[in-house]
Amino acid sequence: MTPVDILMPRPMPPLVLEKLEAEFTVHKLFEAENPDGMLAEIGPKIRGVAAMGGKMDKAFLEKFPNVEIISSFGVGYDHVNTGDCLAANVMVTHTPDVLSDEVADTALGLLLMTVRELGQAETWLREGKWVSEGAYPLTRATLQGRTLGIFGLGRIGKAIAKRAEAFGLTIHYHGRSRQDGVAYPYHATLKDMAAACDTLMVVAPGGAATKHSVNAEVLDALGPEGILINIGRGTVVDEQALIAALEKGTIHGAGLDVFEDEPNVPEKLMQLPRVTLLPHVGSASQATRNAMGQLVVDNLKSWFDTGQAVTPVPEMG
Ligand code: NAP
Ligand code: 8YV
């Protein structure tokens, strides 16, 4: 049988490419000298897409009239318009669960770095200031006694909550609805939760429904000892409102792994003193990225072998 044609628009981890090439004919758009020409030639042959970010909507789908499945790398799939995919009868899959513990570990690391200014303290040592100026200044903030509001108590949010409990934090949560069997106090609005907490952990998905949910009002409610951590998606936080809140002292500090316009990070954020910035490394260990990659492969194989996906996004029903 002729192998199925798969499009890979952007480079993906070597494991994904290797395993896909063993089963399918993989068209690497990122290597094409003339991508439009390549698309015009292979578009009608493509039956599956192995995706790593990149906007996928009606305009994208129209180039591939016979596409059946988009297998996306990552649990967040805000780059894929699932409404357009459903309308075009295209399956969308993602890579949940296999990264939850890794991302939760990173979230706790980022929280500790931010509260205790660990990155800044390391820079102090490396710049020789421990010798020339003495000890790094005591941090105004401490993790002890903090109340953590989790915005998005899903798979990763729960893994963060488990770790945060071990650190002695009190936990609250906000989402679209109260969850059965969850004892943490629930807040129907993000602003109410921010007012009840001094630490806000964003681990909600991106997309139109959550865009700029963390705005000036929410940051004001969090208060002057407030720490914002964003491990979810950059678009959830209004970055300009955050910069203003940090400049004015409306909140104390912020730790960010994700940004509105990655990989571009506003210069002002880089200059602010109590801000920790990471380059979207939440899931970025070899083992976890390989497990995510394996799921991308498994979804494509399962779809073309059995007509069933392994981990479809919830919108697929
Ligand atoms: P999940 O299990 O689907 O959890 C998402 C949570 O967000 C749910 O508890 C959901 O609760 C809440 N939520 C969804 N839409 C909402 C809305 N419009 N308003 C308020 N709450 C909403 O997803 P997950 O596996 O934990 O992943 C969460 C997100 O983390 C991903 O979508 C991705 O963007 C991000 N992520 C980042 C990294 C990184 O490297 N930094 C890595 C992995 C994932 P309700 O249904 O009750 O509203
Ligand atoms: C990945 C992520 O780095 O899973 C997600 O939603 O944000 C990260 O784990 C990203 O998807 C890679 O493109």
Side-chain angles (χ1 to χ4, degrees), residues 11 26 31-32 55 62 70 83 111-112 126-127 174 203 206 254:
V26 181
E31 283 185 354
K55 194 172 173 184
E62 278 169 357
I70 293 175
L111 174 60
L112 269 167
R126 288 182 186 275
E127 288 178 347
H174 163 69
V203 64

Side-chain angles (χ1 to χ4, degrees), residues 237-270:
V237 175
D238 179 342
E239 237 163 43
Q240 293 310 313
L242 172 62
I243 290 167
L246 288 162
E247 282 175 341
K248 284 191 274 185
T250 307
I251 66 166
H252 180 72
L256 310 171
D257 183 49
V258 287
F259 302 88
E260 281 200 61
D261 178 30
E262 294 175 7
N264 303 303
V265 176
E267 191 56 42
K268 278 192 175 171
L269 268 182
M270 299 216 222

Side-chain angles (χ1 to χ4, degrees), residues 16 37 54 73 83 119 169 235 241 263 278 289 303:
V16 180
F73 184 94
L169 304 189
T235 51
L278 298 179
R289 288 288 173 89
W303 181 259

Side-chain angles (χ1 to χ4, degrees), residues 108 111 145-153 156-174 182-187 193 196-201 203:
L108 263 294
L111 174 60
R146 283 195 167 259
T147 302
L148 180 69
I150 300 182
F151 175 19
L153 191 73
I156 301 171
K158 287 191 175 81
I160 291 171
K162 187 174 155 192
R163 287 155 174 75
E165 274 194 49
F167 277 97
L169 304 189
T170 303
I171 295 156
H172 293 221
Y173 76 104
H174 163 69
V182 171
Y184 307 131
Y186 170 74
H187 297 267
M193 183 172 77
C197 299
D198 53 23
T199 311
L200 176 57
M201 175 70 71
V203 64

Side-chain angles (χ1 to χ4, degrees), residues 75-76 99 103 151-157 174-177 179 203-206 209-210 231-233 257-258 280 282-283:
V75 66
L99 43 45
V103 179
F151 175 19
L153 191 73
R155 290 169 291 243
I156 301 171
H174 163 69
R176 289 165 298 186
S177 48
Q179 297 185 33
V203 64
T210 55
I231 193 86
R233 273 292 178 271
D257 183 49
V258 287
H280 200 148
S283 65

